[in-house]
Amino acid sequence: MTLINSKLDDLWSEALSLIVKSEKYDDTLFSSYFKRTKLVNLTEDTAVISTDNYFQQLILKEEREFLSDVLSKLLNLDAIDCQIVNKTDASLVNQYIPEKKVEQVIKADGVSVSHTFKNFVVGSSNRESHSAALGCAYRPGQFFTPLFIYGNSGLGKTHLLHSIGNYVKDKNPQSKVLYISSSDFVRQVASSISKGNIEAFKDQMNELDVLLIDDIQFIAGKEKSHEIFFHIFNELVNNKKQIVITSDRLPTDIKGLEDRLISRFSSGLSVGVDTPEFETSLAILFMKIKNQSLDEKMFSDDALAYIATNFSKDVRQLEGALNRLLFFSIEFSGDGPITLDTAINAFKGDFEPPKEVDPKTIKKVVSDYYGLTITQLTGKSRTKAISNARHIAIYLTRKHLDIPYNKIGEEYGRRDHSTIISACDKIEKGIKANQMLASAIQELEKKLSV
């Protein structure tokens, strides 16, 4: 509701008459402070009243509540806010526009209530990332921001993001939290630009306390999204807000990502998530069984061990294998217990686990054998135990797979071909001189079935 000047004058005349009739002010006071005022703007919830001078403005500001009551009665409204301005301020009088209500571009926080730290299974493959994520949730923005979690798809990175969001919301309901995938971020940027509200989008992002952005690799090559995200990132970090990012690879390995973003992402803490080892895979299966309200006793230990051994590439594969086993047992095994034979029959044909040896299999077998994570095996650590295990894995990869040295180097932390040649030579010489090393190589080859 905005009235033209003549209507505003008529309305204010009525208001002044009511003020006089109220006898709240004597004639001298009314003439000095109220008589030479004007109603210069009116909307549904705001009235703007101009005065002749600063002192008059100062006095009327003390009477805003009464003026609001008078206008509310005239307009038959519950309440109206009165703004008192000085007519000498040309930017306010007659040109006054009440603050525009900003469109809420971000509609929801995106956090899934079903993913929490309580139902995240922790093992050696993800303990470091779980600890870092929990630290961020416990003290957002204080320990390390950004936290960059990397690893293959299906290993629990998204679960950790939602866990952080739920933890923060539970401990501090007033916190502004947002989970968003990088694909949705790109779409939101494009939509906001087309609708002309990109500034509102940026403002709302800048107000966040915790930003959780998933699969950042999909922002690569999107120049406008790079620019928007760069400024949002800087604003949040400068204000000590928490940013957690996930990707399927380290920032330096994401092709098409601007150098300035790579630098920002690498400035915090980067932690990896590896393929779950047997014990973690088994614990995940028990968690899935519990979540589906199933009785653990309906599964034999051997059946679950079969799945944990052969379908531990990622959590989604484990869940899919469990669902396949349940479907098969219902359709073909009746109400009896789910045994190893049931499991073997369930995964015949298309569902039979692959038997090929590849670099990933070798890394997993060697890391499990020496009680390491794949991240440790391929990382920069030069401790004797880790270096020996790494050299053995490199040797087995070269011996049993037709892969050139430079490609093997890429598999083991982007090492150059001379480092790979040196590792292979060292193990070849060690086998001849060290019987324990030779026995370890033989045992690993048996596990690989080569």
Side-chain angles (χ1 to χ4, degrees), residues 426-446:
K426 182 177 181 179
I427 297 302
E428 284 179 357
K429 292 176 182 177
I431 290 172
K432 297 175 183 178
N434 188 329
Q435 184 57 44
M436 288 184 64
L437 175 61
S439 297
I441 295 291
Q442 289 177 359
E443 193 170 342
L444 286 166
E445 288 177 329
K446 284 181 182 178

Side-chain angles (χ1 to χ4, degrees), residues 72 76 97 99 122 157 168 170 172 196 259 277 321 343 345 379 390 403:
S72 297
N76 196 26
I97 301 175
E99 184 178 353
V122 181
K157 302 187 301 295
V168 171
D170 180 60
N172 187 1
D259 288 343
E277 67 286 350
N345 289 326
R390 185 184 300 128
I403 300 177

Side-chain angles (χ1 to χ4, degrees), residues 349-406:
D350 292 341
F351 295 95
E352 189 173 356
K355 305 228 181 247
E356 302 168 359
V357 175
D358 56 20
K360 188 172 183 179
T361 303
I362 292 174
K363 284 187 279 189
K364 175 167 174 47
V365 168
V366 174
S367 60
D368 287 350
Y369 185 81
Y370 287 102
L372 304 172
T373 67
I374 293 178
T375 298
Q376 289 175 312
L377 191 71
T378 59
K380 296 181 179 179
S381 174
R382 295 185 179 181
T383 59
K384 186 174 181 180
I386 295 176
S387 291
N388 286 340
R390 185 184 300 128
H391 292 160
I392 290 170
I394 289 171
Y395 167 79
L396 291 172
T397 304
R398 176 63 181 172
K399 180 181 178 182
H400 296 289
L401 302 175
D402 186 19
I403 300 177
Y405 290 117
N406 63 328

Side-chain angles (χ1 to χ4, degrees), residues 307-318:
I307 296 177
T309 300
N310 295 299
F311 295 92
S312 60
K313 178 182 177 183
D314 58 56
V315 178
R316 295 191 188 105
Q317 188 185 58
L318 277 172

Side-chain angles (χ1 to χ4, degrees), residues 42-47 67-68 71-72 75 77-82:
L42 180 67
T43 66
E44 292 180 355
D45 53 12
T46 304
L67 293 174
S68 175
L71 285 172
S72 297
L75 297 169
L77 296 173
D78 290 335
I80 191 164
D81 180 38
C82 284

Side-chain angles (χ1 to χ4, degrees), residues 42-54:
L42 180 67
T43 66
E44 292 180 355
D45 53 12
T46 304
V48 183
I49 301 165
S50 75
T51 61
D52 282 348
N53 53 61
Y54 172 75

Side-chain angles (χ1 to χ4, degrees), residues 206-266:
N206 290 339
E207 290 173 359
L208 294 173
D209 296 303
V210 178
L211 171 60
L212 311 165
I213 185 157
D214 209 358
D215 289 324
I216 196 66
Q217 68 271 14
F218 294 121
I219 203 175
K222 312 295 192 304
E223 293 183 8
K224 190 61 180 178
S225 295
H226 279 192
E227 180 185 346
I228 301 297
F229 189 76
F230 178 78
H231 291 295
I232 291 169
F233 182 99
N234 285 342
E235 183 72 18
L236 293 178
V237 170
N238 290 339
N239 290 320
K240 300 188 181 302
K241 304 302 183 181
Q242 183 65 56
I243 302 174
V244 185
I245 303 168
T246 71
S247 175
D248 62 353
R249 69 205 81 166
L250 282 164
T252 51
D253 294 334
I254 303 176
K255 294 180 180 179
L257 198 63
E258 290 182 2
D259 288 343
R260 59 179 180 172
L261 284 178
I262 293 174
S263 175
R264 295 302 191 280
F265 295 166
S266 303

Side-chain angles (χ1 to χ4, degrees), residues 408-420:
I408 297 176
E410 291 179 7
E411 290 286 343
Y412 291 86
R414 302 174 73 85
R415 288 172 164 82
D416 61 46
H417 73 285
S418 61
T419 302
I420 303 304

